[in-house]
């Protein structure tokens, strides 16, 4: 299966869902900065992999799927929860990419131009995450 | 003023990755973007600008350890939600304690190894 893009999915979303994610993302980034300021980069860095918007995204996905099934005349919350479980399964693979992102940034930032190091780390995260998904998908 | 920039940059990068996750299919593939390094990119970029690349490199090193907590977190959420018995919001909030435990252990180890 080749991943596809469905821009129409955005029409089902409400404006407040985007606002919630923006505010949560901003708040966690500010919180991480404050922790690093008080306890130093060693402790502040731990929060770089905090699951900032995962709870909000998972519950929105569950809600969307449940509403979709209800419109089709099926009243079943389990389907929504299973859809959120699939999202979490993808997050496990993306989380493996986070470790590689951290490693590339750790060694790359002092050695390369900072912008290039961050770009390399982000690209590596994407390549590792997609590769793991592909391997997982191929194995069935 | 720095906190405002942090808020705006963090919010923008998190929203951008979340938007990608909204439009790509299948769902497991979209889930990859739930683990995007959005907060990390915003924080490391701002730390580089303020304190230099060496300090941000220390943050990245800590992130490697806490990312293990993220994997345990997402795996637990996946297993519990797959049973279909509990609401996503409660499961994903309660499982944050798993991430916190791993991050706390990593914090103790890092502090202890520095001493």
């Amino acid at each position: 299966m080749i991943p596809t893009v469905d821009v129409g999915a955005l029409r089902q979303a409400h404006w407040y869902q985007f606002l919630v994610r923006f505010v949560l993302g901003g708040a966690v980034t500010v919180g991480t900065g404050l922790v690093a300021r008080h306890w130093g980069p060693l402790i502040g860095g731990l929060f770089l992999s905090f699951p900032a918007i995962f709870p909000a995204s998972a519950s929105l996905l569950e809600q969307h799927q449940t509403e979709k099934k209800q419109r089709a005349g099926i009243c079943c919350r389990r389907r929504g929860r299973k859809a959120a479980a699939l999202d979490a399964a993808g997050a496990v693979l993306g989380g493996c990419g986070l470790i590689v992102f951290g490693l590339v940034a750790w060694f790359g930032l002092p050695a390369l131009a900072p912008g290039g190091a961050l770009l390399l780390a982000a690209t590596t995260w994407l390549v590792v995450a997609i590769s793991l998904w592909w391997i997982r998908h191929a194995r069935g | 003023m720095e906190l405002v920039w942090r808020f705006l940059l963090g919010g923008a990068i998190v929203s951008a990755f979340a938007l990608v996750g909204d439009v790509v299919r299948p769902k497991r593939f979209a889930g990859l973007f739930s683990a995007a390094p959005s907060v990390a990119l915003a924080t490391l970029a701002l730390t580089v600008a303020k304190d230099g690349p060496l300090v941000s490199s220390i943050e990245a090193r800590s992130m490697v350890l806490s990312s293990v907590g993220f994997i345990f977190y997402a795996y637990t959420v996946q297993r519990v939600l797959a049973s279909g018995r509990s609401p996503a919001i409660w499961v994903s909030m309660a499982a944050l304690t798993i991430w916190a435990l791993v991050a706390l252990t990593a914090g103790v180890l890092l502090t202890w190894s520095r001493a």
Side-chain angles (χ1 to χ4, degrees):
Chain A
M1 178 189 279
I2 294 175
T4 55
V5 175
D6 175 21
V7 185
L10 291 178
R11 278 186 230 114
Q12 297 166 7
H14 302 285
W15 64 269
Y16 65 82
Q17 294 170 346
F18 299 110
L19 185 69
V20 164
R21 291 193 289 208
F22 184 90
V23 171
L24 279 175
V28 172
T29 311
V30 167
T32 304
L34 291 174
V35 169
R37 192 184 287 178
H38 284 279
W39 285 287
L42 206 69
I43 302 299
L46 294 170
F47 287 83
L48 299 189
S49 67
F50 182 74
I53 58 160
F54 195 90
S57 295
S59 64
L60 286 175
L61 186 60
E62 179 190 11
Q63 188 189 333
H64 275 167
Q65 286 296 315
T66 305
E67 284 172 4
K68 198 171 154 186
K69 293 296 164 195
Q70 278 173 344
R71 279 196 297 273
I74 307 163
C75 187
C76 183
R77 287 197 165 273
R78 273 177 180 254
R79 296 293 285 269
R81 289 167 189 169
K82 283 182 187 289
L86 280 176
D87 191 68
V92 173
L93 305 177
C96 297
L98 276 184
I99 293 179
V100 183
F101 174 95
L103 285 170
V104 173
W106 174 14
F107 291 107
L109 279 165
L112 306 169
L118 289 179
L119 188 65
L120 180 67
T123 309
T124 313
W125 166 78
L126 190 64
V127 170
V128 168
I130 291 176
S131 302
L132 289 174
W133 175 82
W134 196 260
I135 292 166
R136 175 76 181 78
H137 180 72
R139 291 175 71 183
Chain B
M1 195 62 198
E2 186 213 331
L3 291 180
V4 175
W5 280 116
R6 269 187 189 279
F7 184 83
L8 293 175
L9 189 64
I13 298 179
V14 164
S15 299
F17 276 112
L19 211 63
V20 175
D22 282 344
V23 298
V24 293
R25 298 285 179 273
K27 285 187 186 70
R28 195 195 296 267
F29 185 78
L32 298 179
F33 296 90
S34 298
S38 36
V39 173
L41 276 171
T43 304
L44 291 175
L46 288 164
T47 306
V48 165
K50 190 173 173 252
D51 302 311
L54 282 177
V55 176
S56 55
S57 163
I58 296 169
E59 287 185 335
R61 187 180 62 179
S62 298
M63 179 197 175
V64 173
L65 293 178
S66 61
S67 295
V68 176
F70 185 97
I71 296 170
F72 280 124
Y73 166 81
Y75 182 74
T76 308
V77 171
Q78 181 219 334
R79 299 292 294 189
V80 178
L81 284 180
S83 71
R85 291 196 197 98
S86 313
I89 187 70
W90 293 117
V91 175
S92 53
M93 290 295 282
L96 285 175
T97 52
I98 293 168
W99 177 87
L101 275 174
V102 177
L104 185 71
T105 309
V108 170
L109 284 174
L110 286 167
T111 312
W112 178 67
S113 68
R114 196 178 52 167

